[in-house]
Every structure is written in structure tokens, then in C-alpha cells.
Amino acid sequence: MFRLTRTVIEDGKTRTEVVYGLTSLSPARACAARLLQLVRDHWAIENRLHWRRDVTLREDHCQVRKGDAPRVLAVLNSFLLAVLDFLGVSNVPEQMRFFDAHPLQAVRLLLGSLLTFK
């Protein structure tokens, strides 16, 4: 077991959080630095993938439930995030707002890339 104390700044307010974890690593393989790295790696995945899917793309709010539609939407969301990663986009919501306001730019981006592969 381990205990991690962290400082969280949210909406300009600071608070302290204490979280506990359980690991199957031996004490020799679970030094404090290693455990901290494992926790950070976990949150890197959470922030990089799940946050973008759940908050930015609002997957959790999607009410599509019939047939293959949920799976197709998940694939499209994955494709969108992959394209934006490929382009080096660091702020997905901002880029999505841009493409919402300029849909022709999004189409040009996709078709222009396809036309270069002959």
C-alpha cells in the first residue's frame, strides 16, 4: 500500500488531496519514485485519452444506443483524435471550434491528405 498527497489547483482554489493505492510490486521494485511514476503514467493516459473522449467529445453524454452506431461513433472519435495528434494539435477543443466555424477547412484537410497518396 502507499499514500500519495497532492496539491490540486482548480478554479483558482487550492486544495490538498490524499489518495491511497495498492500494488502487487515487491518493496524492492516499489520505491517511492517508481510508484509516483506509475501514478503519473496512469494519469497521463487518463488525461490524454479518456478526458478528451469524455469531456471534449462528450462521449459519456451521447444518447446513441442502437445497433452498431455507438461503435461507429467511437471509431470516428478515435480517428478524429488520431488526425489531430498527427497534426500536432495541442488544444483539441480550440481546433474543433475552428473546424466547426470553418467546415470547408476540415474537408480540405482530409481530402488534401488523401489526394497526396497516389
Side-chain angles (χ1 to χ4, degrees):
M1 287 191 68
F2 63 92
R3 179 181 121 166
L4 175 66
T5 304
R6 58 183 164 218
T7 302
V8 179
I9 301 171
E10 197 171 54
D11 297 327
K13 297 178 182 178
T14 303
R15 61 183 162 81
T16 301
E17 242 179 35
V18 177
V19 294
Y20 296 91
L22 180 64
T23 180
S24 61
L25 294 174
S26 67
R29 295 187 62 215
C31 67
R34 174 78 173 130
L35 291 175
L36 184 58
Q37 187 61 50
L38 290 170
V39 169
R40 285 182 173 159
D41 290 348
H42 165 78
W43 282 105
I45 293 168
E46 179 67 26
N47 291 334
R48 180 90 176 125
L49 179 61
H50 300 298
W51 174 267
R52 296 189 316 164
R53 295 182 83 93
D54 295 344
V55 176
T56 304
L57 300 177
R58 299 180 53 84
E59 277 191 350
D60 288 349
H61 292 88
C62 183
Q63 295 183 2
V64 175
R65 304 276 187 266
K66 292 192 177 187
D68 291 329
R71 188 178 348 216
V72 170
L73 288 174
V75 168
L76 289 172
N77 283 342
S78 295
F79 176 75
L80 170 68
L81 292 174
V83 167
L84 294 177
D85 284 345
F86 178 76
L87 294 172
V89 171
S90 60
N91 189 329
V92 173
E94 181 179 295
Q95 191 67 50
M96 288 178 62
R97 285 190 297 273
F98 173 82
F99 285 137
D100 284 345
H102 306 92
L104 190 56
Q105 289 292 100
V107 172
R108 282 186 183 139
L109 172 71
L110 292 175
L111 294 180
S113 298
L114 293 175
L115 294 176
T116 61
F117 294 112
K118 290 187 177 184

